[in-house]
Amino acid sequence: IGRCMWHLYICNRRGKLYTGITTDLDHRMMQHKANLLYSEVYPDKHSAATRERQIKGWSRKKKLSLKMIRGEFTLSEAEG
């Protein structure tokens, strides 16, 4: 039996950034009707939730300074 991985994500829905965690990233993006901007993978919910709390405390500017995993460009460029 495989362990499920947890994803921390930042997505953009109509210009607003949402940060959250999920085990099914594609399904969650469909629920949000949003574009995935950034994600990180964690082996357990506790680790993902700890990182989520950290990032949720950040300013929008700091969130946008993260490097994207897909494409290797900054989130501010993705919004531009």
Side-chain angles (χ1 to χ4, degrees):
I1 299 174
R3 290 184 65 168
C4 72
M5 300 301 285
W6 283 83
H7 301 266
L8 163 99
Y9 63 86
I10 300 174
C11 64
N12 180 348
R13 182 172 185 224
R14 298 182 184 160
K16 182 167 180 169
L17 299 182
Y18 292 90
T19 304
I21 60 173
T22 184
T23 57
D24 188 339
L25 198 52
D26 292 332
H27 184 287
R28 193 68 182 120
M29 290 306 103
M30 285 178 30
Q31 288 178 320
H32 274 303
K33 296 181 176 139
N35 298 318
L36 178 66
L37 298 178
Y38 182 80
S39 67
E40 297 173 358
V41 180
Y42 292 89
D44 57 73
K45 184 177 183 178
H46 176 75
S47 299
T50 298
R51 179 69 165 152
E52 176 189 25
R53 281 190 300 278
Q54 178 188 34
I55 289 176
K56 280 188 171 182
W58 291 1
S59 68
R60 178 181 176 86
K61 183 177 180 179
K62 187 169 180 178
K63 289 176 188 176
L64 292 174
S65 72
L66 289 169
K67 291 283 189 183
M68 287 187 67
I69 291 173
R70 299 177 188 150
E72 293 302 315
F73 55 95
T74 65
L75 296 182
S76 55
E77 290 170 352
E79 292 213 325

